[in-house]
């Protein structure tokens, strides 16, 4: 099934997209095609534009120039620190469902909570959750939209190893269900474990875009080689 | 009347005193509800809508928080007087006029503080709501609900301000014995009659009520922290 | 959904509070604009229950300075005006705002002062000499300064003594712009002289170190008058109920009620309605 998907039309195409803010250029002529299939990892040093790129893909940012082509597929994003509504866990999910014009019935909510492993704390105030739990709730809210494209910004950045592997399992499960995931991460091991292909950003430009195996074993660009060796200083 | 007998009067539930306290609470409570019905949506609207002159309105609302009660009283008096534009209602020197005056006094407070609270919360929720594609009406209702503890505190602040004022209710109510006499106007009257002990006793009751309202606001915030985050 | 319910409930609570209560609509009540001195003396607390028992009419008294009470009548916000400034009342009638004016009771003014008596006027029966002594010694003097009946009398007395501190505004002359009670409080605190009506003085509870220093001068006579606000100018005036009140005050029962009001055994007001005052309706 994955082969069929990989041969289908791209979900999202960016063509020379530039994003500016104040006096800085956040993205500089980024061109990228997002194809269905295994998750895509977005990696690069701090300030390279990973978060901006995800937000552009979500349609949250105005571009200074360039074109974005996409079909009407539903997309959803989980920010690095998802904002919890001042209500219970279940009500947060219900809110996302209602916003997506879906019924917020008990069964649907329970299913979503079960998917992210939050059954049992449905009635806890969302703001009292741990970092990992809030991340998972953010993912549940995103899944409530039944997205075809799911964008994750540093989903495990502030989590301990146990919580991290829980989230990684979740990401794999979601991807296996046919959702295209693009995830930004600092964790190169995570990228190795989950990604089908890697987009490597440096200073707002795509320095390299290759299959995961290729990128990690035989990176084409000098920047990638230095980054993987731990040498890239900006 | 010396201090101990006025204290006895207060504690024993003297009917005249009871009527004065009761009227004070009815007037101020009604004014707060009325001001809330106008001020909460108004504040939310200004917080969330872009319109020309928005900054002017914001500054105006903030400034009107400091509206002097006597000035409000005078304006309402001129409007409700038989010789004024709304005279045919015959509302001057009635509790209804007092409710209207106090509501006018505290609506800016409630609207301005609501605007601030909703704007702050919107700043926090904006990205998520945009990403979730939340429709506008659902957005407003979600913000008002999530800000509920702040909004209740804001209403209590309005209540406190109205309960403490004397200028507006004195002018539009006339301090009529048994009809428009409230705690603050009675304190003013008893002071002018030289019955300072009774005035002081009533002052204590008034302070006790305002302190209770503030304690209530505080415990609501504490409860919110603990149970809703 | 929860929000809508809350808003609806709130609106339902406020509506009844805002609607004029049943005691407002076609109730038997009138608004009487009177002076702070009449209210502060406690007279109304004594006579109004008797009026209500006789007629079932509620009298709502707005106590203001004479100037403000007359203005309230001019605006049609009161049904009856009951003050003590004869020349201002006569102008009120002449301008067409009132139907007719009647003398109904009198009391007198007294000069109150500190026991220390810096102007050395205690016991005098001559108010004009006393005022001159106050000016000479620059002793502190508190003036109502509020266009009230008492204020008008005070200004007239200074004028008769050919003095004018109200215009010259020397440091010892303190205009406070408030009612009789406030003026007495201020005088007690400042150990100052002040002109007061006897009724308010007797019922005043914060006498401190103040006492009567001058009384009995004919110039201190204080006449009260009552007027029905002219329904021709303000159709909303309750002319029948208002007239009932005027009639009752003038009646033997009303005059006796006034006479019977005493504090510490002292009568405060002296009824003096004279039937001869009534003009035949033209």
């Amino acid at each position: 099934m994955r082969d069929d998907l990989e041969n289908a039309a791209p979900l999202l195409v960016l063509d020379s997209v530039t994003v500016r803010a104040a006096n800085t250029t956040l993205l500089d002529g980024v061109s990228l095609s997002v194809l269905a299939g295994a998750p895509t990892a977005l990696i690069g040093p701090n300030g390279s534009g990973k978060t901006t790129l995800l937000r552009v893909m979500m349609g949250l940012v105005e571009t200074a120039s360039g074109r974005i082509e996409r079909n009407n597929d539903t997309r959803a994003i989980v920010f690095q620190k998802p904002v919890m509504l001042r209500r219970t866990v279940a009500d947060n999910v219900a809110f996302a469902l209602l916003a997506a014009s879906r019924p917020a019935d008990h069964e649907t909510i329970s299913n979503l909570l079960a998917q992210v492993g939050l059954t049992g704390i449905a009635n806890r105030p969302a703001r009292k959750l741990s970092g990992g739990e809030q991340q998972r709730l953010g993912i549940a809210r995103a899944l409530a939209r039944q997205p075809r494209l799911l964008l994750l910004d540093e989903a495990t950045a502030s989590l301990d190893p146990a919580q991290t592997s829980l989230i990684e399992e979740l990401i794999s499960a979601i991807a296996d269900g046919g959702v295209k995931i693009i995830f930004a991460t600092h964790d190169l091991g995570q990228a190795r474990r989950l990604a089908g292909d890697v987009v490597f950003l440096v200073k707002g430009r795509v320095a390299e875009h290759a299959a995961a195996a290729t990128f990690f074993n035989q990176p084409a660009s000098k920047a990638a080689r230095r980054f993987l060796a731990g040498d890239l200083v900006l | 009347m010396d201090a101990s007998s006025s204290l006895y009067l207060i504690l024993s539930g003297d009917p005249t005193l009871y009527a004065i306290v009761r009227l004070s609470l009815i007037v101020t409570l009604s004014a707060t509800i009325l001001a809330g019905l106008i001020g909460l949506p108004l504040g939310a609207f200004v917080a969330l809508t872009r319109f020309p002159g928005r900054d002017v309105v914001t500054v105006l609302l903030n400034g009107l928080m400091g509206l002097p009660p006597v000035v409000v009283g005078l304006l309402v008096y001129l409007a409700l007087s038989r010789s004024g534009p709304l005279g045919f209602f015959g509302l001057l020197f009635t509790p209804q006029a007092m409710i209207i005056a106090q509501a006018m006094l505290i609506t800016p407070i409630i609207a301005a503080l609501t605007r601030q609270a909703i704007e702050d919360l919107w700043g926090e929720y904006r990205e998520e709501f945009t990403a979730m594609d939340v429709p506008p009406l659902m957005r407003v209702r979600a913000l008002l609900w999530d800000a509920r503890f702040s909004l209740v505190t804001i209403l209590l602040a309005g209540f406190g301000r109205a309960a403490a004022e004397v200028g507006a209710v004195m002018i539009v109510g006339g301090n009529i014995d048994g009809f428009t006499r409230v705690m603050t106007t009675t304190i003013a009257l008893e002071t002018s009659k030289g019955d300072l002990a009774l005035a002081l006793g009533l002052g204590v009751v008034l302070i006790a009520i305002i302190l209770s309202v503030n304690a209530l606001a505080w415990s609501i915030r504490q409860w919110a922290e603990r149970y809703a985050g | 959904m929860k929000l809508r319910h809350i808003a609806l409930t709130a609106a339902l609570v406020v509506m009844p509070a805002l609607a004029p209560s049943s005691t407002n609509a076609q109730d038997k009540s009138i608004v009487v604009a009177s002076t702070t001195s009449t209210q502060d003396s406690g007279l109304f607390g004594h006579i109004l229950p008797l009026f209500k028992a006789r007629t079932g009419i509620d009298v709502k008294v707005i106590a203001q300075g004479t100037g403000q009470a007359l203005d309230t009548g001019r605006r049609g916000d009161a049904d009856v005006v009951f003050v003590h400034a004869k020349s201002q009342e006569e102008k009120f009638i002449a301008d067409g705002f009132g139907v007719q004016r009647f003398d109904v009771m009198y009391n007198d003014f007294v000069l109150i002062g500190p026991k220390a008596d810096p102007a050395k006027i205690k016991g005098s029966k001559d108010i004009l000499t006393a005022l001159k002594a106050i000016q000479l010694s620059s002793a502190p003097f508190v003036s109502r300064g509020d266009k009230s009946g008492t204020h008008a009398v005070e200004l007239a007395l200074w004028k008769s003594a050919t003095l004018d501190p109200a215009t010259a505004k020397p440091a010892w002359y303190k205009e406070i712009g408030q009612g009789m009670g406030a003026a007495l409080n201020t005088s007690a605190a400042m150990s100052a002289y002040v002109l007061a009506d006897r009724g308010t003085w007797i019922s005043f509870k914060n006498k401190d170190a103040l006492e009567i220093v001058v009384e009995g001068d004919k110039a201190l006579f204080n006449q009260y008058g009552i007027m029905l606000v002219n329904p021709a100018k303000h159709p909303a005036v309750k002319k029948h109920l208002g007239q009932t009140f005027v009639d009752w005050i003038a009646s033997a029962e009303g005059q006796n009620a006034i006479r019977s009001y005493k504090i510490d055994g002292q009568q405060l007001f002296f009824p003096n309605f004279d039937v001869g005052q009534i003009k035949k309706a033209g």
Side-chain angles (χ1 to χ4, degrees):
Chain A
M1 187 173 146
R2 209 174 277 179
D3 291 328
D4 292 334
L5 290 170
E6 280 169 356
N7 290 331
L11 296 172
L12 186 64
V13 176
L14 272 67
D15 185 6
S16 303
V17 167
T18 300
V19 173
R20 279 194 246 278
N23 291 330
T24 39
T25 303
L26 298 172
L27 290 181
D28 192 1
V30 168
S31 293
L32 193 56
S33 271
V34 174
L35 299 169
T40 301
L42 203 55
I43 64 176
N46 276 340
S48 55
K50 303 193 291 293
T51 298
T52 309
L53 182 55
L54 285 175
R55 293 172 77 226
V56 165
M57 289 179 179
M58 189 61 204
L60 294 175
V61 174
E62 261 186 42
T63 59
S65 64
R67 244 178 11 145
I68 304 176
E69 265 174 37
R70 57 180 287 259
N71 51 25
N72 281 332
D73 285 345
T74 312
R75 51 193 174 170
I77 188 170
V78 182
F79 297 111
Q80 186 166 353
K81 283 208 182 333
V83 177
M84 300 289 107
L85 300 182
R86 285 160 174 80
R87 335 177 162 194
T88 62
V89 167
D91 284 341
N92 266 267
V93 175
F95 181 79
L97 285 166
L98 292 169
S101 306
R102 290 182 65 198
D105 58 272
H106 181 75
E107 198 186 326
T108 315
I109 296 174
S110 302
N111 286 342
L112 283 164
L113 289 179
Q115 243 184 303
V116 299
L118 288 179
T119 314
I121 56 169
N123 289 325
R124 196 175 299 174
R127 292 170 87 89
K128 299 279 173 195
L129 265 46
S130 71
E133 289 167 334
Q134 290 194 354
Q135 268 293 338
R136 284 187 273 153
L137 180 52
I139 295 173
R141 286 194 318 208
L143 292 177
R145 290 166 59 77
Q146 294 178 310
R148 185 80 169 77
L149 176 63
L150 178 61
L151 309 170
L152 302 174
D153 193 357
E154 308 270 3
T156 58
S158 47
L159 305 184
D160 67 36
Q163 294 169 327
T164 300
S165 61
L166 271 166
I167 301 269
E168 285 182 10
E169 270 173 42
L170 184 54
I171 292 175
S172 283
I174 296 169
D176 287 342
V179 179
K180 172 67 183 184
I181 296 181
I182 303 179
F183 66 102
T185 187
H186 273 134
D187 184 346
L188 296 180
Q190 180 174 96
R192 262 186 240 258
R193 284 189 289 277
L194 299 176
D197 59 322
V198 173
V199 173
F200 177 53
L201 283 180
V202 177
K203 286 195 197 167
R205 290 205 191 91
V206 178
E208 188 165 339
H209 181 191
T214 314
F215 180 81
F216 287 112
N217 298 328
Q218 287 168 304
S221 64
K222 188 157 146 217
R225 281 197 293 275
R226 290 175 60 201
F227 181 68
L228 290 171
D231 278 347
L232 191 60
V233 174
L234 292 162
Chain B
M1 181 177 281
D2 61 21
S4 58
S5 51
S6 64
L7 195 64
Y8 175 74
L9 202 70
I10 289 161
L11 293 175
S12 67
D14 171 67
T16 314
L17 204 67
Y18 174 73
I20 289 173
V21 174
R22 186 171 167 274
L23 182 66
S24 309
L25 292 175
I26 290 176
V27 167
T28 300
L29 210 56
S30 304
T32 306
I33 293 176
L34 188 58
L37 288 173
I38 299 171
L40 289 173
L42 178 61
F45 176 80
V46 177
L48 299 174
T49 319
R50 299 247 154 274
F51 58 89
R54 181 174 181 270
D55 287 339
V56 172
V57 171
T58 301
V59 170
L60 205 64
L61 283 177
N62 286 342
L64 289 175
M65 282 204 282
L67 210 53
V70 274
V71 173
V72 176
L74 178 61
L75 293 173
V76 176
Y77 176 84
L78 291 174
L80 295 180
S81 161
R82 286 279 175 196
S83 304
L86 303 175
F88 57 88
F89 284 118
L91 284 176
L92 191 61
F93 302 140
T94 63
Q96 286 73 28
M98 296 159 77
I99 293 174
I100 291 171
Q102 287 201 339
M104 278 184 57
L105 181 68
I106 63 178
T107 296
I109 295 174
I110 292 176
L113 294 178
T114 299
R115 184 207 59 81
Q116 186 67 63
I118 298 292
E119 210 170 277
D120 288 347
L121 197 60
W122 175 235
E124 199 186 317
Y125 284 3
R126 170 192 243 115
E127 272 220 306
E128 290 282 3
F129 278 25
T130 311
M132 283 195 243
D133 247 330
V134 182
L137 195 59
M138 191 175 168
R139 222 186 269 172
V140 174
R141 284 164 56 200
L143 287 169
L144 285 173
W145 177 252
D146 269 33
R148 58 197 178 283
F149 296 113
S150 296
L151 297 183
V152 167
T153 308
I154 290 172
L155 287 175
L156 290 174
F159 179 89
R161 177 97 154 93
E165 74 87 20
V166 66
V169 285
M170 182 71 96
I171 294 180
V172 307
N175 198 19
I176 299 171
D177 192 11
F179 192 58
T180 57
R181 197 163 282 181
V182 291
M183 281 189 283
T184 49
T185 57
T186 307
I187 290 171
L189 176 64
E190 293 304 322
T191 304
S192 80
K193 281 162 71 172
D195 196 344
L196 303 176
L198 180 60
L200 200 57
L202 277 172
V204 168
V205 173
L206 184 56
I207 289 176
I209 290 177
I210 292 182
L211 282 178
S212 310
V213 165
N214 279 301
L216 183 63
W218 183 84
S219 29
I220 287 175
R221 271 197 292 274
Q222 295 301 107
W223 194 90
E225 285 300 308
R226 209 173 314 135
Y227 293 110
Chain C
M1 190 171 67
K2 293 168 192 170
L3 208 61
R4 213 180 301 147
H5 287 170
I6 294 173
L8 198 62
T9 313
L12 286 173
V13 167
V14 172
M15 290 309 194
L18 274 184
S21 60
S22 55
T23 53
N24 268 12
Q26 10 74 331
D27 61 331
K28 287 178 77 177
S29 76
I30 54 170
V31 173
V32 172
S34 186
T35 65
T36 50
S37 44
T38 341
Q39 171 183 273
D40 290 353
S41 68
L43 176 70
F44 288 124
H46 176 79
I47 66 174
L48 295 182
L50 298 169
F51 177 67
K52 168 130 194 207
R54 162 67 58 191
T55 61
I57 301 175
D58 262 314
V59 174
K60 299 177 189 163
V61 175
I62 315 277
Q64 307 167 314
T66 295
Q68 194 180 356
L70 289 167
D71 189 56
T72 303
R74 261 181 228 112
R75 310 180 121 257
D77 290 324
D79 305 300
V80 172
V81 176
F82 188 168
V83 296
H84 56 115
K86 189 157 182 173
S87 55
Q88 293 184 49
E89 296 166 47
E90 283 168 345
K91 179 165 197 304
F92 188 81
I93 299 287
D95 290 342
F97 290 107
V99 174
Q100 196 181 349
R101 183 201 168 278
F102 302 107
D103 284 343
V104 289
M105 67 191 193
Y106 69 88
N107 67 355
D108 61 335
F109 290 103
V110 291
L111 187 70
I112 304 296
K115 287 195 170 84
D117 194 19
K120 306 259 175 291
I121 50 181
K122 181 167 170 170
S124 167
K125 286 210 178 314
D126 185 341
I127 183 68
L128 298 182
T129 318
L131 289 180
K132 287 183 180 139
I134 289 175
Q135 161 126 337
L136 227 64
S137 63
S138 298
F141 182 91
V142 169
S143 165
R144 292 272 303 264
D146 63 347
K147 284 177 40 161
S148 58
T150 308
H151 185 222
V153 168
E154 180 218 315
L155 292 176
L157 290 172
W158 285 115
K159 193 167 171 198
S160 301
T162 62
L163 302 169
D164 194 2
T167 311
K169 296 195 197 304
W172 53 265
Y173 185 77
K174 300 173 197 301
E175 268 189 41
I176 62 169
Q178 292 179 72
M180 199 66 250
L184 287 168
N185 272 331
T186 311
S187 307
M190 284 187 186
S191 292
Y193 292 96
V194 61
L195 189 72
D197 64 284
R198 191 185 293 272
T200 309
W201 169 250
I202 293 176
S203 58
F204 186 68
K205 294 184 174 65
N206 188 26
K207 292 185 172 74
D208 213 24
L210 296 176
E211 58 181 2
I212 297 178
V213 293
V214 178
E215 59 183 322
D217 190 323
K218 282 205 197 63
L220 296 173
F221 179 73
N222 181 27
Q223 177 67 53
Y224 286 78
I226 197 167
M227 303 181 284
L228 177 69
V229 174
N230 191 357
K233 280 257 190 196
H234 294 287
V237 166
K238 295 175 180 169
K239 65 177 183 204
H240 294 299
L241 298 178
Q243 189 63 52
T244 307
F245 181 65
V246 173
D247 292 343
W248 184 82
I249 293 278
S251 71
E253 189 180 305
Q255 298 274 290
N256 275 332
I258 293 171
R259 185 176 297 119
S260 66
Y261 180 59
K262 292 183 168 55
I263 293 188
D264 292 338
Q266 292 185 67
Q267 182 177 343
L268 264 54
F269 300 94
F270 299 85
N272 68 341
F273 174 75
D274 176 357
V275 154
Q277 297 176 73
I278 304 176
K279 301 189 194 56
K280 296 284 180 248

